[in-house]
Amino acid sequence: STNATPTHTFLTGGIYNVYLIATNQFGCSDTFFFSYPITVLQTPTANFAANTLTGCTPLNIQLNNQSSDTINVGYNWIFGNGTSSVLTNPTAVYPDSGIFTIELIATNANGCSDTSSQIANVHLTPTAIASTIDTVGCSPLLVNFINNSVFASQFSWNFGDNNFSTDSLPVHNYTVGGIYYPALIANNQFGCSDTLIFTQPITVLQTPKAQFSTNTNSGCTPLQITTINQTTNTILPTYLWNFGNGQIDNNLNPVVTYTDSSLYNITLIVTNANGCADTATTSIDVHLSPTAIANTTDTSGCSPYQVAFNNNSINADSYLWNFGNGQTSTDPSPVYTYTSGGNYQVVLIATNSY
């Protein structure tokens, strides 16, 4: 410096011998050497890097000390949450949320020190809490889920049967028997999440699917109905048939005969070994068959012989008479003349609208 009374900052530690050369206008000069040197103690440069400075509780931040100009340096870390460390490369653990100042104080053996700091932003992780009381039942089993999660704003449910929901309080219908372990992921707006997997499974007992067909659904007495059992999803099933006429049966494919006219409901109740049951029903419309009743007092005589037939049939509304000689009539009570001698078997067919 050429200042008369300079001020100088020594940036680097060391021992410096300072001298002054004083010169006048005539070029005459004198040199003054300080009798003692300037001793500058080296100050460290505190610096560090973190693997992350934001995250969710519990957050572990790995700190990488990058301080320089260190001579027998000692470190004092202050994590801003009441904890500290003297390790060179410590891990700061944040179990609670908040904004924390991480400070590194590097101190050399000569007592010189420097401080570096950075801010850590720690968000609270939600806690996934869920339950249900609907843990066992027959399919289809409707399960109401209870969500008591805290610090969460978004939810992702996996019901364990390849079905999912984002509802807060979902209701899920399990249609297939099995053992299912639902899972809930609770999230918040900071991307923090917690996962709960149910320890008690949802046990869905398989319900059979009762179904059957019949050879016909209507007809005249006596009407024989053959059932064809087409039930599925059975597990050691039992069958209970109720034919609506006071008859029941436990066979797989029973046969029933209806002798009276009515509209009957055939009901099949199928019960699996687990106690789950299903019912199927179909209707059978049974109509009363007519009874053909006829007579005549004209049973023998000379040709041409006129015969008057009396028709007393019941439940009939149309008739077909066959006089035994190839001739027929649809009159209810015909009068017929036989022109040729012979023995004739007369047949009456009585029919109704069914």
Side-chain angles (χ1 to χ4, degrees), residues 1 36 41 123 136 139 153 155 160 166 173 184 193 195-196 220 254 268 339 343-344:
S1 174
Y36 55 88
L41 304 178
H123 305 293
V136 180
S139 64
S153 56
F155 306 96
T166 56
N173 191 18
L184 168 62
S193 65
T195 299
L196 169 70
C220 301
L268 168 62
T339 59
N343 292 320
Y344 301 98

Side-chain angles (χ1 to χ4, degrees), residues 191-240:
C192 304
S193 65
D194 185 36
T195 299
L196 169 70
I197 299 176
F198 280 52
T199 56
Q200 181 177 6
I202 307 296
T203 302
V204 182
L205 305 176
Q206 183 62 56
T207 298
K209 177 60 177 176
Q211 52 189 352
F212 66 94
S213 62
T214 58
N215 59 322
T216 184
N217 287 321
S218 64
C220 301
T221 58
L223 178 62
Q224 186 179 79
I225 298 295
T226 300
T227 60
I228 304 169
N229 196 329
Q230 299 167 327
T231 301
T232 59
N233 299 331
T234 56
I235 303 172
L236 301 176
T238 59
Y239 303 102
L240 177 60

Side-chain angles (χ1 to χ4, degrees), residues 8-160:
H8 179 66
T9 299
F10 292 90
L11 300 177
T12 304
I15 298 175
Y16 302 94
N17 291 307
V18 181
Y19 61 91
L20 170 64
I21 301 175
T23 305
N24 62 20
Q25 68 272 28
F26 304 109
C28 300
S29 65
D30 187 30
T31 300
F32 173 79
F33 289 92
F34 276 64
S35 58
Y36 55 88
I38 303 298
T39 301
V40 180
L41 304 178
Q42 180 62 52
T43 299
T45 299
N47 189 29
F48 66 93
N51 65 327
T52 184
L53 287 172
T54 184
C56 307
T57 58
L59 179 63
N60 294 335
I61 299 179
Q62 182 61 52
L63 301 169
N64 181 17
N65 195 329
Q66 298 175 340
S67 300
S68 59
D69 298 325
T70 55
I71 302 173
N72 296 324
V73 70
Y75 301 106
N76 183 24
W77 295 85
I78 300 173
F79 301 132
N81 64 345
T83 62
S84 60
S85 177
V86 295
L87 298 177
T88 302
N89 296 298
T91 298
V93 178
Y94 294 94
D96 300 313
S97 63
I99 298 176
F100 305 95
T101 299
I102 302 175
E103 288 186 287
L104 167 61
I105 303 173
T107 304
N108 277 345
N110 54 28
C112 298
S113 63
D114 187 35
T115 300
S116 177
S117 65
Q118 298 187 53
I119 301 298
N121 195 351
V122 183
H123 305 293
L124 193 62
T125 296
T127 301
I129 304 173
S131 62
T132 182
I133 60 174
D134 307 316
T135 57
V136 180
C138 298
S139 64
L141 177 62
L142 200 65
V143 177
N144 293 270
F145 289 95
I146 302 168
N147 187 349
N148 294 317
S149 301
V150 292
F151 309 118
S153 56
Q154 297 174 327
F155 306 96
S156 178
W157 294 84
N158 183 335
F159 299 118

Side-chain angles (χ1 to χ4, degrees), residues 181-308:
Y181 288 87
L184 168 62
I185 301 176
N187 302 273
N188 61 21
Q189 67 271 31
F190 303 110
C192 304
S193 65
D194 185 36
T195 299
L196 169 70
I197 299 176
F198 280 52
T199 56
Q200 181 177 6
I202 307 296
T203 302
V204 182
L205 305 176
Q206 183 62 56
T207 298
K209 177 60 177 176
Q211 52 189 352
F212 66 94
S213 62
T214 58
N215 59 322
T216 184
N217 287 321
S218 64
C220 301
T221 58
L223 178 62
Q224 186 179 79
I225 298 295
T226 300
T227 60
I228 304 169
N229 196 329
Q230 299 167 327
T231 301
T232 59
N233 299 331
T234 56
I235 303 172
L236 301 176
T238 59
Y239 303 102
L240 177 60
W241 297 85
N242 188 326
F243 298 111
N245 63 347
Q247 292 180 257
I248 60 174
D249 201 297
N250 300 114
N251 290 317
L252 180 65
N253 297 299
V255 176
V256 62
T257 299
Y258 291 99
T259 58
D260 296 316
S261 64
S262 185
L263 183 64
Y264 298 95
N265 288 324
I266 299 180
T267 300
L268 168 62
I269 301 174
V270 184
T271 305
N272 276 346
N274 54 27
C276 299
D278 189 34
T279 300
T281 300
T282 193
S283 296
I284 304 295
D285 196 3
V286 182
H287 308 288
L288 195 62
S289 294
T291 301
I293 304 173
N295 60 54
T296 183
T297 58
D298 306 319
T299 59
S300 178
C302 298
S303 63
Y305 185 57
Q306 188 178 73
V307 179

